[in-house]
């Protein structure tokens, strides 16, 4: 069976890579810290007896053969990159649980017909380039070459540049594409990042669908000027326009059922106590599990922000960073997960994921399923992110049981 101590020890060890002054973890894609985390994980994959390789965009794979070499692989995985000052469970738990599953299968001399591949996806979070799920897009054939130049980090370096600095050839990204005939199913264990499970005292969530994130960048251009010498009637204050826009975003999200809207980044130029802001940019993260409702909210926001800017004589331009459609998890995999929970004597609670995950990019490649474990106080993307060892191991056991059903019996399809 899966070993709780080994899983927990590895989780703690991984958390030291990229630990920052906040006590949390900052591990951006294609950084030294992310590379070090992947190398540590590659070592554990090898200890688990897996054959390892990195693909053309930096996804790390570890493969355990089945008895039928031609059978498509069951994929288990998650990511190792983090947001800025994030926690140590979002991503790493799913990766380490996947290794724990295959290592304990091997230790118990369990044979499966299907191979199992542990997958560490490159850049799920989108924290560096404002564009995420890069590795999962690539394996699904959804990473267009044009995206490599389009997305830039805070230093103005492109995604393609970062790949090259990491030792990869951006011209070769299509080598990462995998076909449906190679992948049987994808399962990911993840922390819930909300408080539904904890508030109801439930140990396991089975994800029915994943809300789709839309990321927009708004740039407001007004007129900078002297804070003391410019009367209120003559101002074109870009920050005042942005503030009004933020309130519009909040109000629309409150009005449209199931919508959430967040402004997480704001830059103000020139940025002086006694200078009227001339240029402001902000990001909007807008989500809904129902795409038409998200589109409706987006339209309302754009119309109202434009009106406010017109009234204020401020220019506004909007750039789409990423637009990801909500997805449903495969009913067949949800069935396998429920069955696995029953066999372990725990109840699996159906819930929608408000957070995005790599599985969203894989739905045309293979059936996708997700298992959630509780997050303490629903806290995530912060250093205080925490899931108890008991909950982590219970989720890993469910993953083990479900992976066994899939890889041995090929339940899906
Ligand atoms: C990733 O965690 C996201 O949902 O943005
Ligand atoms: Mn995650
Ligand atoms: Mn995350």
């Amino acid at each position: 069976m899966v070993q709780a101590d080994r899983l927990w020890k590895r989780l703690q060890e991984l958390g030291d890579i990229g630990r920052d002054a906040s006590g949390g973890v900052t591990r951006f894609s294609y950084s030294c810290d992310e590379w070090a985390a992947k190398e540590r994980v590659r070592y554990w994959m090898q200890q688990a007896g897996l054959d390892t390789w990195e693909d053309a965009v930096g996804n790390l794979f570890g493969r355990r053969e089945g008895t039928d070499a031609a059978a498509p692989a069951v994929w288990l995985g998650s990511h190792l990159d983090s947001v800025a000052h994030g926690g140590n469970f979002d991503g790493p738990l799913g990766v380490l649980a996947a290794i724990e599953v295959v290592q304990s299968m091997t230790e118990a001399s369990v044979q499966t017909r299907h191979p199992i591949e542990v997958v560490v996806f490159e850049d799920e979070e989108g924290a560096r380039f404002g564009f995420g799920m890069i590795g999962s897009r690539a394996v699904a054939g959804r990473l267009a070459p044009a995206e490599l130049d389009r997305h830039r980090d805070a230093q103005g370096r492109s995604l393609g540049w970062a790949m090259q600095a990491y030792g990869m050839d951006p011209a070769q990204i299509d080598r990462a594409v995998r076909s449906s005939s190679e992948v049987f199913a994808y399962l990911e264990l993840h922390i819930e990042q909300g408080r539904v499970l904890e508030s109801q005292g439930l140990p396991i969530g089975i994800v029915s669908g994943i809300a789709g994130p839309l990321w927009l960048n708004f740039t407001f251009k007004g007129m900078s000027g002297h804070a003391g010498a410019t009367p209120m009637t003559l101002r074109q204050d870009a920050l005042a326009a942005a503030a009004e826009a933020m309130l519009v975003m909040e109000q629309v999200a409150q009005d449209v059922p199931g919508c959430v809207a967040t402004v997480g980044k704001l830059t103000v130029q020139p940025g002086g106590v006694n200078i009227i802001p001339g240029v402001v940019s902000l990001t909007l993260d807008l989500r809904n599990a129902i795409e038409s409702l998200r589109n409706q909210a987006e339209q309302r926001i754009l119309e109202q922000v434009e009106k406010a800017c017109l009234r204020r004589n401020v220019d506004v331009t909007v750039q789409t960073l990423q637009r990801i459609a909500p997805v449903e998890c495969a009913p067949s995999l949800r069935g396998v997960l429920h069955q696995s929970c029953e066999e372990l004597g725990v109840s699996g609670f159906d819930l929608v994921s408000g957070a995005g995950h790599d599985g969203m990019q894989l739905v045309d490649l293979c059936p996708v399923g997700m298992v959630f474990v509780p997050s303490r106080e629903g806290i995530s993307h912060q250093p205080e992110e925490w899931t108890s060892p008991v909950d982590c191991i219970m989720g890993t056991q469910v993953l083990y049981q479900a992976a066994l059903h899939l890889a041995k019996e090929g339940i899906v399809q």
Side-chain angles (χ1 to χ4, degrees):
M1 257 334 238
V2 296
Q3 289 189 26
D5 288 354
R6 183 167 58 197
L7 176 77
W8 192 253
K9 216 168 137 250
R10 286 176 178 171
L11 198 51
Q12 301 312 305
E13 197 175 324
L14 205 51
D16 285 337
I17 304 175
R19 175 147 347 261
D20 59 30
S22 74
V25 173
T26 299
R27 261 193 324 250
F28 284 177
S29 55
Y30 303 113
S31 66
C32 293
D33 284 324
E34 197 217 24
W35 174 83
K38 282 202 286 188
E39 283 311 300
R40 195 70 207 153
V41 161
R42 189 203 293 266
Y43 169 72
W44 289 325
M45 284 177 167
Q46 287 165 351
Q47 275 196 334
L50 306 180
D51 288 330
T52 65
W53 72 93
E54 214 168 333
D55 73 8
V57 295
N59 295 315
L60 173 63
F61 287 85
R63 180 175 165 105
R64 177 185 193 265
E65 287 303 336
T67 52
D68 179 354
V74 172
W75 278 12
L76 309 176
S78 195
H79 58 97
L80 294 175
D81 67 300
S82 79
V83 295
H85 320 302
N88 186 36
F89 291 80
D90 175 358
L93 175 62
V95 169
L96 296 177
I99 296 174
E100 188 53 44
V101 165
V102 287
Q103 187 159 6
S104 33
M105 277 184 189
T106 299
E107 285 163 354
S109 304
V110 170
Q111 289 202 325
T112 59
R113 182 170 95 77
H114 292 264
I116 301 178
E117 289 179 8
V118 176
V119 194
V120 178
F121 286 112
E122 184 62 58
D123 199 332
E124 186 270 352
E125 296 286 6
R128 178 167 177 188
F129 298 100
F131 176 72
M133 304 181 196
I134 291 169
S136 48
R137 286 176 203 264
V139 297
R142 293 176 170 197
L143 184 63
E147 307 284 15
L148 304 190
D149 190 49
R150 197 162 86 82
H151 300 285
R152 303 205 163 236
D153 66 12
Q155 283 72 44
R157 288 168 170 160
S158 71
L159 172 52
W161 183 95
M163 280 181 177
Q164 209 152 13
Y166 203 65
M168 282 160 180
D169 180 357
Q172 305 279 319
I173 53 168
D174 52 351
R175 286 182 160 211
V177 178
R178 302 288 291 269
S179 95
S180 300
S181 63
E182 295 176 281
V183 192
F184 189 61
Y186 175 67
L187 278 184
E188 178 168 347
L189 171 67
H190 206 280
I191 54 167
E192 183 201 338
Q193 308 179 274
R195 43 196 339 170
V196 173
L197 294 176
E198 188 190 60
S199 65
Q200 301 194 35
L202 296 162
I204 296 290
I206 295 175
V207 178
S208 53
I210 309 175
L214 166 65
W215 289 4
L216 301 176
N217 192 73
F218 287 72
T219 305
F220 300 87
K221 283 198 181 126
M223 180 86 81
S224 170
H226 195 288
T230 316
M232 296 309 285
T233 49
L234 295 179
R235 290 181 183 221
Q236 291 167 261
D237 185 330
L239 184 55
E244 191 170 340
M246 285 175 63
L247 293 178
V248 164
M249 293 163 189
E250 185 183 51
Q251 189 59 52
V252 170
Q254 279 165 359
D255 291 348
V256 176
C259 242
V260 284
T262 306
V263 174
K265 273 184 165 177
L266 185 78
T267 56
V268 180
Q269 290 168 37
V273 176
N274 54 357
I275 313 171
I276 299 165
V279 181
V280 169
S281 77
L282 61 82
T283 54
L284 169 65
D285 174 318
L286 183 67
R287 305 189 192 209
N288 201 301
I290 300 170
E291 196 170 11
S292 58
L293 289 177
R294 189 187 70 187
N295 291 344
Q296 203 186 93
E298 179 191 6
Q299 279 322 309
R300 280 172 60 177
I301 289 170
L302 293 178
E303 281 163 22
Q304 290 184 39
V305 168
E306 223 156 88
K307 264 192 210 153
C309 287
L310 208 61
R311 189 174 7 92
R312 291 176 171 278
N313 206 9
V314 167
D315 246 30
V316 60
T317 50
V318 184
Q319 181 201 4
T320 303
L321 300 174
Q322 63 177 358
R323 181 184 297 274
I324 300 174
V327 301
E328 279 185 32
C329 289
S332 53
L333 291 188
R334 289 172 61 194
V336 172
L337 289 167
H338 273 292
Q339 183 188 341
S340 302
C341 284
E342 273 169 37
E343 288 161 357
L344 292 165
V346 285
S347 64
F349 182 79
D350 289 307
L351 82 181
V352 171
S353 172
H357 300 285
D358 285 306
M360 305 185 87
Q361 301 297 336
L362 306 180
V363 287
D364 294 334
L365 185 68
C366 63
V368 168
M370 290 199 74
V371 189
F372 275 0
V373 284
S375 292
R376 186 176 66 191
E377 292 178 34
I379 294 171
S380 186
H381 284 182
Q382 291 178 65
E384 293 77 22
E385 185 177 88
W386 173 263
T387 296
S388 75
V390 170
D391 286 333
C392 289
I393 206 66
M394 179 51 78
T396 308
Q397 279 170 343
V398 172
L399 189 71
Y400 180 101
Q401 199 74 1
L404 196 63
H405 281 304
L406 295 174
K408 256 191 136 162
E409 302 148 23
I411 279 180
V412 170
Q413 266 154 32

